């Protein structure tokens, strides 16, 4: 059979889709594009916002339209969240966030019996579903899912209900998986999860223990963390950041708002003073570190004064880049009870535009610091004398010179075109 996997949403979904791809290919099925009319289409959905749900439904309808005879399998958060609404869309296999590792078996069962399959579980009680990758399509950077679930229950977020309780991949299983990925040519590992910093909660190991263990791998050049909460940047982590050069010079730390009043309404577990103090400690250790963040604008109760507090706090911290989202109501969350305090849609759009402009300004300012400096870049794509790749501090650099994918090269940053960074090779490892 031929198959196609469509992935929406987070890096955890991307990892799970890579695993499903490997499982199909291991038993002889061939990956093709949607336009090639595959026999099986798997859609790994997202439900983090209303727009994510809309995209998920659109991709289901598109798959049905493009390949009328294909087996349609739908999984992920939108499937978990809207199972009753999705069933009438002509889906053959519908599962949530469990049993993705059994997708090939489910497809083969459907192909044999032609009876629709729908499987759902109490996500608060499911164990960690082990998936281990041997390789990834990106030969330089590999994402490894080490954790699932969340217990923060922020007022705006549906994901704890969709992904379930905190649970972690066994440290030995994770270490073996990463060792194999490194052996297969991946020199950078990105540790990812729904709540990555909680890795090992309830076990006798934690995220730092895993980082220390995999850092012993000779072929591993970089360890990157997809995202980590400011409350999880404890002294043990900061000490590792100080002493372990393999940890990337980049941390993604969600802020969500720079107003203490709105942080309380959001049910976040810190205030701006705490956040600021942690950033100061990080920059004492790594002065040039890139710190990126997530921000929600227009959360219920957010007045113009609250938004202005956020703008000023962003400038104070000096983030490199801000991933900005307008508040999107998720039914079943605490924010649903705040409807009388909702912010006008036009106001939200205006605030998003303002933050995006500020983000571009901050990104350019950060990049300018590295003009005429030489940074190590792991080559991701190379064609002739034109190559590109990321630095440790997650600057995407376009550069000239002979290089091969996977190589580490020293690149001198020569110019900026807005927020596009250009350079030239000085040395190849």
């Amino acid at each position: 059979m031929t198959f196609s996997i469509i992935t929406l949403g987070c890096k955890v979904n991307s990892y799970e889709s890579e695993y499903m791809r490997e499982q199909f290919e291991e038993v002889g099925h061939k990956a093709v594009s949607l336009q090639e009319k595959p026999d099986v289409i798997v859609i790994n959905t997202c439900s983090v916002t209303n727009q994510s749900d809309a995209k998920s439904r659109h991709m289901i309808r598109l798959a049905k339209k493009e390949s009328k005879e294909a087996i349609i399998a739908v999984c992920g958060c939108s499937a978990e969240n809207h199972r009753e609404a999705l069933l009438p869309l002509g889906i053959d296999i519908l599962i949530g966030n469990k049993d993705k590792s059994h997708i090939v078996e489910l497809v083969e069962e459907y192909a044999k019996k032609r009876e629709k399959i729908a499987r759902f579980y109490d996500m608060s009680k499911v164990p960690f579903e082990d998936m281990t990758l041997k390789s990834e399509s990106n030969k330089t950077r590999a994402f490894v899912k080490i954790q699932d679930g969340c217990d923060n229950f922020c007022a705006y977020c549906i994901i704890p209900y969709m992904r379930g309780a905190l649970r972690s991949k066994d440290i030995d299983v994770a270490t073996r998986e990463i060792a194999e990925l490194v052996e297969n040519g991946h020199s950078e590992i990105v540790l990812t999860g729904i709540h990555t910093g909680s890795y090992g909660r309830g076990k006798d190991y934690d995220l730092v223990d895993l980082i220390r263990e995999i850092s012993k791998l000779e072929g591993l050049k970089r360890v990157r963390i997809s995202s980590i909460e400011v409350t999880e940047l404890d002294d043990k982590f900061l000490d590792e950041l100080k002493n372990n050069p393999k940890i990337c010079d980049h941390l993604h730390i969600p802020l969500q708002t720079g107003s203490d009043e709105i942080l309380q309404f959001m049910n976040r577990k810190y205030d701006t003073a705490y956040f600021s103090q942690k950033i100061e400690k990080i920059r004492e250790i790594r002065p040039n570190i890139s710190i990126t963040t997530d921000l929600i604008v227009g959360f219920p109760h957010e007045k113009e004064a609250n938004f202005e507090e956020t703008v000023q706090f962003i400038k104070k911290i000096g983030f490199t880049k801000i991933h900005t989202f307008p508040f999107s109501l998720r039914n079943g969350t605490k924010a649903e009870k705040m409807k009388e305090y909702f912010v006008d849609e036009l106001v939200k759009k205006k605030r998003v535009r303002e933050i995006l402009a500020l983000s571009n300004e901050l990104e350019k300012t950060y990049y300018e610091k590295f003009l005429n400096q030489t940074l190590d870049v792991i080559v991701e794509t190379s064609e002739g004398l034109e190559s590109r790749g990321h630095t440790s501090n997650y600057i995407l650099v376009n550069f000239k010179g002979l290089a091969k994918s996977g190589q580490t090269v020293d690149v001198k940053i020569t110019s900026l075109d807005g927020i596009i960074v250009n350079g030239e090779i000085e040395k190849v490892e």
Side-chain angles (χ1 to χ4, degrees):
M1 287 191 293
T2 59
F3 71 94
S4 182
I5 300 176
I6 300 165
T7 308
L8 298 107
C10 65
K11 299 301 183 184
V12 173
N13 263 11
S14 296
Y15 173 91
E16 292 166 345
S17 289
E18 280 287 322
Y19 180 82
M20 289 189 280
R21 177 190 61 79
E22 275 195 1
Q23 296 308 295
F24 275 111
E25 290 179 342
E26 277 189 6
V27 293
H29 303 312
K30 181 184 177 183
V32 298
S33 69
L34 193 60
Q35 290 70 36
E36 293 175 89
K37 312 294 184 188
D39 301 311
V40 180
I41 301 172
V42 179
I43 304 163
N44 199 357
T45 63
C46 176
S47 192
V48 72
T49 64
N50 289 327
Q51 187 178 27
S52 303
D53 280 325
K55 284 182 180 178
S56 297
R57 290 191 297 272
H58 170 73
M59 292 312 303
I60 294 167
R61 293 189 180 101
L62 181 64
K64 291 290 293 182
K65 179 182 176 182
E66 291 289 324
S67 301
K68 291 182 173 59
E69 302 303 317
I71 297 171
I72 305 294
V74 177
C75 56
C77 285
S78 196
E80 192 81 50
N81 198 15
H82 302 290
R83 62 190 79 168
E84 300 299 330
L86 294 181
L87 277 170
L89 298 184
I91 296 164
D92 301 307
I93 301 166
L94 184 64
I95 61 175
N97 282 315
K98 188 181 181 302
D99 286 347
K100 291 182 184 181
S101 62
H102 300 294
I103 192 67
V104 174
E105 299 161 38
L106 293 171
V107 166
E108 289 174 349
E109 179 184 334
Y110 178 83
K112 184 178 180 181
K113 298 179 179 179
R114 290 288 161 174
E115 295 175 359
K116 290 186 182 296
I117 299 170
R119 289 188 185 175
F120 293 91
Y121 303 83
D122 180 347
M123 292 304 294
S124 67
K125 297 178 180 177
V126 298
F128 187 85
E129 186 173 3
D130 266 330
M131 303 179 194
T132 56
L133 292 179
K134 296 180 177 65
S135 186
E136 279 195 42
S137 48
N138 181 332
K139 278 292 178 184
T140 58
R141 183 184 304 112
F143 288 85
V144 176
K145 177 188 169 185
I146 59 170
Q147 184 278 335
D148 208 337
C150 181
D151 64 357
N152 273 354
F153 291 97
C154 298
Y156 49 81
C157 189
I158 196 69
I159 300 306
Y161 306 94
M162 301 300 102
R163 282 282 180 172
L166 292 175
R167 51 208 190 276
S168 302
K169 181 175 285 182
D170 183 84
I171 191 169
D172 293 332
V173 173
T175 302
R176 286 196 298 270
E177 177 182 11
I178 291 165
E180 185 165 4
L181 287 165
V182 172
E183 183 71 23
N184 288 333
H186 299 283
S187 52
E188 180 178 313
I189 295 295
V190 186
L191 301 176
T192 191
I194 299 302
H195 188 27
T196 312
S198 72
Y199 175 75
R201 187 85 57 84
K203 309 285 186 181
D204 60 355
Y205 50 80
D206 60 17
L207 180 62
V208 173
D209 295 324
L210 176 61
I211 291 171
R212 286 176 181 165
E213 194 61 33
I214 64 174
S215 294
K216 298 173 186 175
L217 297 168
E218 188 176 339
L220 179 61
K221 295 172 183 173
R222 293 180 187 166
V223 179
R224 197 178 297 278
I225 302 161
S226 62
S227 179
I228 189 165
E229 292 289 339
V230 71
T231 51
E232 291 156 350
L233 299 169
D234 57 16
D235 290 343
K236 183 177 179 180
F237 181 90
L238 294 177
D239 187 61
E240 189 69 13
L241 185 68
K242 181 179 181 179
N243 295 300
N244 187 342
K246 289 192 176 184
I247 298 178
C248 286
D249 230 9
H250 167 239
L251 289 173
H252 186 82
I253 309 171
L255 171 64
Q256 306 305 2
T257 177
S259 164
D260 286 333
E261 182 183 10
I262 304 303
L263 282 170
Q264 285 192 325
F265 284 124
M266 286 181 168
N267 195 34
R268 298 292 282 173
K269 308 299 191 292
Y270 53 85
D271 59 17
T272 53
Y274 180 93
F275 195 100
S276 182
Q277 288 163 9
K278 285 289 184 179
I279 301 302
E280 285 177 14
K281 287 184 178 181
I282 292 166
R283 287 193 168 132
E284 285 172 7
I285 296 167
R286 304 261 187 116
N288 289 322
I289 194 168
S290 172
I291 298 175
T292 55
T293 198
D294 294 328
L295 195 79
I296 296 171
V297 300
F299 187 79
H301 295 275
E302 186 184 76
K303 304 177 187 69
E304 194 62 36
N306 301 124
F307 177 69
E308 186 56 33
E309 286 174 345
T310 295
V311 170
Q312 294 308 316
F313 188 72
I314 287 169
K315 291 178 179 178
K316 175 186 173 183
I317 295 297
F319 292 106
T320 302
K321 189 171 186 177
I322 307 155
H323 300 276
T324 311
F325 309 90
F327 169 71
S328 177
L329 175 64
R330 306 279 72 201
N331 292 330
T333 62
K334 294 176 182 177
E336 190 176 11
K337 298 176 182 177
M338 305 178 189
K339 287 186 177 180
E340 62 185 292
Y341 301 102
F342 279 14
V343 177
D344 182 80
E345 291 298 318
L346 291 177
V347 172
K348 284 197 285 187
K349 288 179 181 178
K350 174 181 174 292
R351 291 175 184 173
V352 167
R353 288 195 298 270
E354 186 172 338
I355 296 296
L356 289 175
L358 177 58
S359 178
N360 286 338
E361 181 184 320
L362 290 169
E363 192 173 0
K364 186 171 182 290
T365 299
Y366 181 76
Y367 294 163
E368 284 173 346
K369 290 168 43 176
F370 299 95
L371 275 171
N372 300 314
Q373 290 192 32
T374 299
L375 303 174
D376 66 288
V377 174
I378 296 179
V379 183
E380 293 166 22
T381 61
S382 186
E383 190 172 339
L385 294 177
E386 303 290 332
S387 301
R388 67 188 329 208
H390 281 89
T391 62
S392 172
N393 54 348
Y394 213 58
I395 301 175
L396 179 61
V397 185
N398 301 289
F399 56 93
K400 295 181 179 180
L402 282 172
K404 294 179 181 178
S405 179
Q407 279 186 313
T408 301
V409 297
D410 287 342
V411 176
K412 183 178 181 178
I413 307 302
T414 56
S415 67
L416 294 179
D417 182 7
I419 56 174
I420 297 173
V421 182
N422 304 304
E424 294 179 355
I425 287 183
E426 288 201 331
K427 180 185 175 184
V428 178
E429 186 180 89

